[in-house]
Amino acid sequence: RFLDPIFFGDYPREMREMLSSNLPKFTSEEKRLLQNKADFIGVNHYTAIYAKDCISSPCDIKTYEGNAMVQAVGERDGVAIGRPTAFHGYYDVPEGMELIVRYVNQRYKNTPVYITENGYSQLSDNSMEDLMNDVGRVNYLQGYLTCISSAVRKGANLHGYFVWSLMDNFEWGFGFTVRFGIYHVDFETQERTPKMSGKWYRDFLTGSRPVDQAQTLRADS
């Protein structure tokens, strides 16, 4: 709902009620100028989580989730929402991709959507064999691309997809401890080598490997 001012000129009533003075107020002229000013919407999407109502447990209102009066959790009744990844709290939940694309399209007047980031993390201290034979990342990409395809077939106005990332790099507060790249980078020599996922993604883009061929990897992993 944080995009609402750009498309509708103001935040939704529920946000006004919960956050009151924390939100900026707009004049009638500002609301008019704000509306429908986006050419496209960029979505960074890595995972899905459950939203637990804060009625049953206290919320930290200084967090994004706390502002919405919910607590973000990765499990329900002791069962994880999806396969965990190296990034704490990030799970492999491909169906979330289709849901978010369709939701954004429906709420924001079918504005074109680009998936500007989507990727899978590994711990850097894994063995070189595990880093290069990144079956988990192949399965992740296969699942998310399959759900993107499903969304498009159902009418989603999706214009592009960008995997995160081409190469292992410096990941903000996590530094070099996690890797998202489909190319392995030796940070000492800067040598770059395609991982299994890089080769799979190349074949997928050139049409020599249909997206559903990764299912075999998922079943065997």
Side-chain angles (χ1 to χ4, degrees):
R1 302 294 182 93
F2 293 104
L3 290 175
D4 275 24
I6 297 175
F7 290 91
F8 309 132
D10 203 353
Y11 291 100
R13 177 180 54 81
E14 297 88 347
M15 287 184 69
R16 288 283 180 200
E17 291 177 352
M18 288 190 293
L19 300 177
S20 60
S21 61
N22 288 337
L23 295 177
K25 295 182 180 179
F26 308 117
T27 66
S28 297
E29 178 63 12
E30 287 172 335
K31 291 180 180 181
R32 185 186 67 79
L33 292 172
L34 274 171
Q35 293 181 54
N36 304 311
K37 298 301 181 184
D39 295 322
F40 69 91
I41 297 172
V43 175
N44 293 358
H45 181 75
Y46 290 87
T47 189
I49 51 177
Y50 294 119
K52 184 178 180 181
D53 197 314
C54 281
I55 293 175
S56 58
S57 58
C59 285
D60 180 357
I61 62 172
K62 296 180 180 179
T63 66
Y64 289 121
E65 295 85 5
N67 274 330
M69 299 304 292
V70 297
Q71 180 184 5
V73 294
E75 296 183 356
R76 183 170 61 184
D77 298 327
V79 179
I81 192 171
R83 296 186 182 190
T85 69
F87 242 39
H88 177 70
Y90 280 40
Y91 301 86
D92 182 351
V93 192
E95 56 270 24
M97 178 67 85
E98 179 174 351
L99 293 174
I100 189 63
V101 170
R102 297 183 67 192
Y103 172 82
V104 170
N105 267 172
Q106 291 167 5
R107 182 161 185 83
Y108 300 116
K109 304 179 181 180
N110 208 36
T111 300
V113 170
Y114 289 84
I115 303 302
T116 43
E117 289 185 23
N118 174 242
Y120 177 94
S121 60
Q122 295 170 289
L123 292 173
S124 288
D125 60 5
N126 285 353
S127 69
M128 180 59 71
E129 181 180 1
D130 287 340
L131 289 174
M132 296 304 296
N133 297 316
D134 55 342
V135 174
R137 181 173 288 109
V138 174
N139 289 332
Y140 179 97
L141 294 176
Q142 179 268 328
Y144 278 78
L145 287 167
T146 296
C147 288
I148 288 172
S149 299
S150 175
V152 171
R153 287 195 299 271
K154 294 174 182 176
N157 191 10
L158 186 82
H159 284 217
Y161 170 87
F162 298 87
V163 65
W164 186 264
S165 60
L166 174 62
M167 294 178 287
D168 295 328
N169 55 38
F170 187 87
E171 291 293 341
W172 297 95
F174 292 87
F176 296 115
T177 63
V178 294
R179 295 171 180 262
F180 277 89
I182 59 176
Y183 268 66
H184 177 271
V185 176
D186 184 317
F187 296 127
E188 295 296 327
T189 66
Q190 293 299 299
E191 181 180 2
R192 298 151 191 192
T193 309
K195 303 176 186 178
M196 178 190 292
S197 59
K199 297 173 182 178
W200 180 88
Y201 195 53
R202 174 202 61 198
D203 292 345
F204 165 68
L205 292 176
T206 58
S208 56
R209 182 187 293 273
V211 68
D212 58 3
Q213 284 191 12
Q215 284 286 8
T216 301
L217 294 174
R218 181 177 291 273
D220 294 342
S221 61

